[in-house]
Amino acid sequence: MKLIFAIINNDDSHSVQSALTKNGFQATKLASSGGFLLSGNTTFMICSEDENVDAILETIKEHSHKRRQFVPNAASYGTGTYTDFPVEVMVGGATVFVTNIERFEKV
Ligand code: 2BA
């Protein structure tokens, strides 16, 4: 079994959630925020059988869009990058981590 963490833009989270549910995949949504932009995003926690991982990633990919966002100056202090103007970065579609689950139980 695998545990998938998928970090999604808030604007895509409803669409991703609906598609996962429609395709029969159970997910837990966590409110999270990015360390760079310091803005809110959504982390999905999805436990699945190994053979469903690709279908889940495909569903997430289909509903997560790339977008340009501007980084306010204050957000770049930690990186050592100091500019007078906001910096444009490309965000998304989704940042995904797939990990092994040693044991899964509902008690
Ligand atoms: P943030 O940390 O707010 O990052 C937002 C976007 O800013 C990133 O988009 C990337 O394009 C840019 N960015 C981040 N750190 C940067 C840096 N040091 N220098 C220049 N640009 C930088 P994504 O890569 O699509 O990431 C979206 C969100 O996914 C991130 O939000 C963070 O919450 C999460 N994430 C991405 N990579 C991660 C990782 N390796 N570990 C944990 N979370 C990660």
Side-chain angles (χ1 to χ4, degrees):
M1 291 197 91
K2 303 287 186 200
L3 178 59
I4 301 167
F5 291 97
I7 303 166
I8 314 275
N9 192 290
N10 277 347
D11 293 341
D12 293 329
S13 70
H14 182 72
S15 166
V16 169
Q17 182 181 23
S18 301
L20 287 171
T21 304
K22 191 174 151 205
N23 292 334
F25 302 123
Q26 210 173 340
T28 295
K29 262 171 75 179
L30 305 172
S32 48
S33 53
F36 191 66
L37 292 181
L38 305 177
S39 60
N41 50 32
T42 302
T43 299
F44 284 84
M45 226 169 61
I46 307 155
C47 177
S48 89
E49 299 294 342
D50 290 15
E51 60 267 26
N52 289 334
V53 168
D54 288 342
I56 290 170
L57 295 195
E58 209 39 58
T59 302
I60 291 170
K61 190 173 164 189
E62 198 179 316
H63 293 271
S64 305
H65 305 291
K66 283 192 193 301
R67 46 178 55 82
R68 295 176 196 283
Q69 271 183 248
F70 286 93
V71 187
N73 281 342
S76 56
Y77 287 169
T79 67
T81 312
Y82 293 91
T83 62
D84 289 334
F85 303 101
V87 178
E88 189 183 44
V89 293
M90 186 68 80
V91 185
T95 300
V96 179
F97 311 101
V98 181
T99 64
N100 287 318
I101 293 181
E102 284 187 19
R103 183 166 161 169
F104 172 82
E105 284 187 38
K106 287 186 178 177
V107 293

